[in-house]
Amino acid sequence: MNEFVELGIYTQLARIGKALAHPVRLRLLDLLEDGEIEVDRLARAADVSLKNTSAQLQQLRSANLVVTRRQGNRIYYRLAGPEVSSLLSALQSCAEQRLADLREAIADLLGDPDEMMPVTVDQLRTRLDDPGVVVVDVRPAREYARGHIPGAVNLPAQELEARFDDIPRNVEIIAYCQGPYCVLSPDVVRLLRDRGYPARPLAGGMTRWAREGGTVQRGGQMGADR
């Protein structure tokens, strides 16, 4: 009898594993770290069809990993709780340590860590009040307003070429985007370095900052001092 009871327990645990066993679902969960998102916008952010996005979200919802809210004709999704974020963090950390193919794929996407020299969350925490550091959020203004690192300047990646003159040269730039596999901040760091700016990316972006207990500030644009 106990054998069947134990099997039933592991069957329930396997529901979570089954729900996570799809790359699109993992991508959607990473995007939902940013907070509640309307399903159409989530599909665009993931670059996945609305039909496929909705189907994958239903699988996540059946495992109680996401919850929904309806407002008129719009449906909004969010993570079911902070434990889901902790689970994603543990999964990614374990996979990055155990899978050489994943480490290689990340390096191909984001750049060689030895070259990029990313700043960790703990390192950034100690430097937020350092006048020799400017933290730059390279996400779109809407995402910045939803939540950003305190004191960060919003400089969307697509505006960088037109706003080089807004960036002080006598400081170190620490750039970040959304999640651990977002390419925006590494790309911005390369552009800044090409122009002679000392710049480094924040490892894990805004997602890792929030997961590791970093303070999140909400509201609009903060200007850079020249």
Side-chain angles (χ1 to χ4, degrees):
M1 183 67 173
N2 286 340
E3 179 181 347
F4 290 109
V5 171
E6 288 180 4
L7 184 59
I9 290 172
Y10 286 110
T11 298
Q12 292 303 311
L13 288 173
R15 291 176 60 195
I16 300 296
K18 182 178 179 180
L20 294 177
H22 195 288
V24 171
R25 291 176 211 152
L26 290 172
R27 171 68 172 144
L28 294 174
L29 289 171
D30 256 353
L31 289 169
L32 288 170
E33 290 272 6
D34 193 33
E36 187 179 70
I37 305 177
E38 194 266 331
V39 65
D40 287 350
R41 191 159 71 88
L42 183 60
R44 290 194 298 272
D47 196 22
V48 176
S49 71
L50 179 59
K51 181 178 180 180
N52 191 16
T53 298
S54 296
Q56 302 305 334
L57 286 169
Q58 288 307 310
Q59 293 295 318
L60 293 171
R61 189 179 181 189
S62 70
N64 293 318
L65 295 176
V66 300
V67 293
T68 63
R69 174 177 67 87
R70 180 180 289 274
Q71 183 175 324
N73 293 326
R74 297 182 179 274
I75 300 175
Y76 295 80
Y77 281 83
R78 67 180 186 275
L79 296 184
E83 66 280 357
V84 179
S85 178
S86 298
L87 175 63
L88 291 171
S89 180
L91 172 64
Q92 291 168 354
S93 178
C94 178
E96 288 172 18
Q97 291 183 52
R98 306 310 308 170
L99 299 177
D101 288 348
L102 175 59
R103 294 194 296 274
E104 182 177 338
I106 292 171
D108 288 344
L109 181 69
L110 304 182
D112 184 346
D114 291 336
E115 177 189 346
M116 299 304 294
M117 298 184 295
V119 175
T120 68
V121 167
D122 285 342
Q123 289 170 338
L124 180 56
R125 270 200 192 95
T126 66
R127 303 189 68 187
L128 283 183
D129 296 325
D130 184 344
V133 170
V134 170
V135 181
V136 174
D137 185 319
V138 304
R139 300 173 300 163
R142 182 175 181 176
E143 294 182 24
Y144 173 88
R146 285 163 62 88
H148 54 270
I149 294 173
V153 175
N154 187 213
L155 181 58
Q158 66 271 25
E159 299 177 14
L160 181 63
E161 292 283 356
R163 292 180 57 187
F164 272 114
D165 289 343
D166 293 340
I167 306 171
R169 285 193 171 273
N170 59 340
V171 297
E172 180 180 12
I173 309 296
I174 298 176
Y176 71 90
C177 47
Q178 184 54 48
Y181 311 124
C182 175
V183 300
L184 289 180
S185 57
D187 287 348
V188 165
V189 165
R190 292 185 188 94
L191 284 172
L192 289 169
R193 289 179 178 179
D194 287 345
R195 293 292 188 98
Y197 293 89
R200 298 166 66 188
L202 172 64
M206 187 66 197
T207 296
R208 188 164 297 168
W209 174 265
R211 282 175 178 171
E212 296 188 14
T215 301
V216 176
Q217 185 174 354
R218 306 188 190 280
Q221 171 68 49
M222 295 185 62
D225 295 324
R226 300 176 71 179

